[in-house]
Amino acid sequence: MSLEDELLKQRLCRIREIQALGYRPYGGRFDITHAIPEILAGFGAKTADELVPQVGVRIAGRVMTKRLMGKAGFAHLQQNGERLQIYVKRDAVGERDFELFQILDHGDIVGVEGYLFRTRTGELSVHAEKLEFLSKTLLAMPEKWHGLEDVETRYRQRYLDLIANPEVRKVFVTRARIIASLRRQLESRGFVEVETPMMQPIYGGAAARPFVTHHNTLDIDLYLRIAPELYLKRLVVGGLERVYEINRNFRNEGLSKKNNPEFTMLEFYQAYTDYQGLMDFSAELLEQVCRDVTGSAEVEFEGHKLDFSRFRRYSMREAVMEFWEGPNRPRPEEVCHPDWLLHHSDKLTPGEALTDIFERHAEAKLIQPTIIYDYPVESSPLSKNKPEDPAFVERFEIYAAGMEVGNAYTELNDPQEQRRRFEMQLAMRDRGDEEAHQMDGDYVRALAYGMPPTGGEGIGIDRITMIFTGSRTIRDVILFPLLRPEGPIDLIDRLREYDQP
RNA sequence: GGGCGCGUAGCUCAAUUGGCAGAGCAAGUGACUCUUAAUCACUAGGUUGAAGGUUCGAUUCCUUCCGCGCUCACCA
């Protein structure tokens, strides 16, 4: 019999002992007067004298440590990532509660009624007068000193990660604050939050391979969306002139430190502005997120201090010249010249070559928050051309920590030009490009009713969360990142074996 | 999908050139009414990810498979 098996049997026995003492092993409602973090915040600075007269409290939490010394003992209860000590003395709680305390295991969840005091060593603690049992753990907690290190277990059993590693909880609280900051800022500027289809008959708005699913009643294949873009712009046509969505996109592509197949995007559209207007707005938006989350306009990421109060701005051509690696740094006339571009890339068109060169030379060096603007038309079928240079579009991307975190452009609102762009994409698709856009007839029809001049932008929530939480991998900012399925969980068989009604 | 690396007790980690698989925490028993990584004494716990091979002998070397990580490709 394995040790784990032995432990499970012991714990199942404990359930009967708990019942024999008159407690429910999986208890019910327990009204608390304070959450543990509230007690620490409200009373953490009070001296022993200031805790007189007695401050009565009812608290609840998970037993994380326990020190039993004959007829008294201490334990730390954890709630919402913070710990408070309780002192349980037989003379104070009575025989029955003390017997319960003696058989508590690490990981059990209990309620405690008592009063606040300071121990001889000065730690704020609850002097217990009554215990209630709330929930039994059947499995061993991770090691109390080192926590849970195994990355696979951390991702597969995130609940254990959250119990054992308080800093993990902070990452996800910060993620929620980032999203709240964005919502607050957008709402204050009159943006309306909407939800558009996740399941789409035609996928568009980005270049990516989709996931396919099937609807039985209609007997049609549907795609999980790769972007909400084309639906949000339909709404701008309909008069929702400031509109946004924060939701999941799905792309059937490889996994990496920066990519998870499902990820969260903010997309917003604002009528009557253009990409220049959005550059200023983006810088304000992200600086405010940084201030809301860190308290300043700077955040530390892998040894760099990223300053969100000063966005740098380069055109893509300027960036190639500025960040060129090696000798023969190109001159302005070279980065504009098709022959030079095609000579320095194996791509087939000057525009694709410029993008390729930019990605190879510059992208990883864009550590400080940076805006790169003016993209070649080839990779941007939904953006408006630059009037003075139709080979380029009014588009920019936001980089920070060497990652692309945002993408924005002046929206193409000419239906005739949009039809031509879609047909170019169809030609690329015929040549085998799976990621080329499909023709979206209804989207062109919507544009044909007239869409106001509009700027639109997408910001990768997971990636900015990485930056604002100092996370090296996207898996550390997604609660349940995609892993290969685990196979049968043998706990189920063992529970069945030991099941006694 | 390619390359490289890792997988040892529930958890965190050791194990010399291929030579009896170990420690701390967690668990069990006992002592202890201000401890805090509680302490002290004793006890138990392993198909070294799986299968095969080389060898007198494999955690260690080889092959295949499984899982994870890094990286490249794909992709923002």
Side-chain angles (χ1 to χ4, degrees):
Chain A
M1 181 183 303
S2 75
L3 182 79
E4 206 180 0
D5 218 16
E6 188 71 48
L7 185 82
L8 181 61
K9 282 176 77 176
Q10 285 165 9
R11 298 274 167 101
L12 290 167
C13 282
R14 282 265 152 90
I15 285 183
R16 289 193 288 278
E17 294 173 40
I18 289 162
Q19 287 170 323
L21 287 170
Y23 300 93
R24 292 157 68 194
Y26 298 98
R29 173 168 173 170
F30 184 83
D31 291 321
I32 60 172
T33 57
H34 305 75
I36 283 173
E38 290 171 356
I39 291 187
L40 296 172
F43 301 94
K46 303 259 191 228
T47 65
D49 290 342
E50 288 169 328
L51 295 173
V52 180
Q54 284 178 3
V55 180
V57 297
R58 282 166 64 87
I59 63 164
R62 189 184 291 277
V63 176
M64 300 304 287
T65 63
K66 188 178 126 185
R67 296 169 291 283
L68 187 63
M69 294 156 300
K71 299 181 183 63
F74 292 88
H76 276 104
L77 301 191
Q78 177 168 294
Q79 185 186 26
N80 297 348
E82 297 190 52
R83 293 182 183 192
L84 180 61
Q85 183 171 255
I86 61 170
Y87 177 52
V88 182
K89 191 165 63 165
R90 194 180 64 173
D91 295 348
V93 298
E95 190 64 41
R96 173 171 164 267
D97 278 0
F98 194 72
E99 279 187 43
L100 176 69
F101 180 70
Q102 286 177 304
I103 60 171
L104 289 183
D105 288 307
H106 292 112
D108 287 349
I109 296 172
V110 295
V112 178
E113 188 175 324
Y115 57 90
L116 294 175
F117 77 113
R118 286 207 177 265
T119 63
R120 202 167 287 163
T121 55
E123 178 167 346
L124 181 68
S125 305
V126 174
H127 198 291
E129 294 174 311
K130 193 168 181 306
L131 297 186
E132 192 55 68
F133 195 82
L134 300 177
S135 189
K136 183 69 200 159
T137 180
L138 299 178
L139 301 172
M141 286 288 120
E143 216 255 4
K144 65 184 175 189
W145 190 242
H146 297 92
L148 181 64
E149 300 281 342
D150 182 77
V151 286
E152 187 176 346
T153 309
R154 287 186 45 227
Y155 298 148
R156 286 197 193 281
Q157 296 177 258
R158 183 68 89 179
Y159 41 90
L160 270 188
D161 193 24
L162 288 164
I163 292 169
N165 301 323
E167 67 280 7
V168 171
R169 176 193 181 89
K170 290 203 184 81
V171 167
F172 291 101
V173 170
T174 299
R175 180 180 172 120
R177 301 217 331 253
I178 290 167
I179 293 170
S181 170
L182 289 166
R183 281 211 167 92
R184 194 182 319 117
Q185 294 187 70
L186 288 160
E187 297 290 333
S188 76
R189 291 167 207 254
F191 283 82
V192 175
E193 181 170 11
V194 297
E195 292 173 83
T196 63
M198 294 273 180
M199 298 192 295
Q200 303 179 347
I202 296 171
Y203 61 94
R209 289 157 67 194
F211 289 92
V212 188
T213 186
H214 188 80
H215 187 270
N216 290 338
T217 303
L218 296 180
D219 191 25
I220 49 168
D221 282 342
L222 292 166
Y223 303 99
L224 300 190
R225 74 179 190 193
I226 59 174
E229 171 158 352
L230 299 180
Y231 285 93
L232 290 171
K233 285 191 284 193
R234 284 172 168 91
L235 298 179
V236 176
V237 171
L240 288 168
E241 294 188 347
R242 293 187 176 202
V243 69
Y244 76 100
E245 178 163 7
I246 296 176
N247 225 320
R248 223 67 64 77
N249 290 344
F250 306 88
R251 299 187 184 175
N252 205 337
E253 286 155 3
L255 296 83
S256 80
K257 283 200 292 191
K258 301 177 189 174
N259 297 79
N260 194 63
E262 57 177 308
F263 63 101
T264 303
M265 281 272 277
L266 160 65
E267 280 203 19
F268 60 90
Y269 292 83
Q270 178 177 342
Y272 308 115
T273 189
D274 65 3
Y275 78 139
Q276 293 287 352
L278 289 183
M279 286 186 207
D280 298 335
F281 182 28
S282 303
E284 283 176 42
L285 202 57
L286 290 174
E287 178 180 349
Q288 189 58 49
V289 168
C290 190
R291 289 185 186 282
D292 286 344
V293 166
T294 71
S296 83
E298 288 188 334
V299 65
E300 177 110 6
F301 188 85
E302 291 188 346
H304 300 278
K305 260 200 173 17
L306 308 191
D307 183 356
F308 279 88
S309 70
R310 290 178 30 248
F311 271 80
R312 302 187 296 177
R313 301 187 189 191
Y314 301 96
S315 73
M316 184 179 277
R317 287 160 165 167
E318 288 167 354
V320 167
M321 292 186 285
E322 175 73 21
F323 297 102
W324 182 260
E325 277 182 348
N328 304 318
R329 181 184 295 264
R331 297 187 303 276
E333 60 273 22
E334 287 178 315
V335 290
C336 296
H337 201 288
D339 292 345
W340 185 90
L341 292 167
L342 292 170
H343 183 255
H344 286 86
S345 170
D346 53 12
K347 300 291 181 188
L348 298 175
T349 68
E352 289 171 298
L354 176 62
T355 307
D356 177 51
I357 294 165
F358 164 76
E359 286 173 356
R360 282 187 289 115
H361 284 267
E363 180 166 352
K365 293 179 190 159
L366 303 178
I367 304 297
Q368 287 299 322
T370 304
I371 284 169
I372 303 293
Y373 59 92
D374 288 356
Y375 278 63
V377 67
E378 283 90 333
S379 54
S380 313
L382 302 165
S383 318
K384 185 174 275 186
N385 302 84
K386 285 177 74 73
E388 71 280 11
D389 187 356
F392 282 76
V393 292
E394 296 188 349
R395 172 179 176 184
F396 70 89
E397 293 191 336
I398 305 166
Y399 288 85
M403 289 188 291
E404 185 210 333
V405 297
N407 176 28
Y409 35 86
T410 308
E411 304 299 336
L412 177 58
N413 63 341
D414 174 346
Q416 190 64 278
E417 173 65 10
Q418 185 64 70
R419 176 196 56 82
R420 288 193 290 267
R421 299 276 190 95
F422 275 140
E423 284 175 351
M424 279 162 51
Q425 292 284 313
L426 290 178
M428 290 165 65
R429 176 169 286 269
D430 287 343
R431 290 197 298 270
D433 184 350
E434 272 186 87
E435 285 159 7
H437 273 71
Q438 298 170 292
M439 171 65 75
D440 189 334
D442 177 69
Y443 176 67
V444 176
R445 180 168 63 187
L447 292 186
Y449 282 99
M451 181 169 82
T454 297
E457 177 163 338
I459 292 177
I461 298 296
D462 311 280
R463 289 183 177 180
I464 64 169
T465 302
M466 287 171 67
I467 291 168
F468 291 124
T469 60
S471 302
R472 318 171 326 285
T473 159
I474 199 166
R475 294 187 194 99
D476 286 339
V477 301
I478 293 176
L479 282 165
F480 300 99
L482 185 66
L483 298 178
R484 219 175 275 278
E486 187 182 359
I489 310 290
D490 64 352
L491 173 66
I492 298 303
D493 293 325
R494 290 186 285 136
L495 282 176
R496 186 180 302 111
E497 186 181 340
Y498 300 134
D499 190 17
Q500 346 186 300

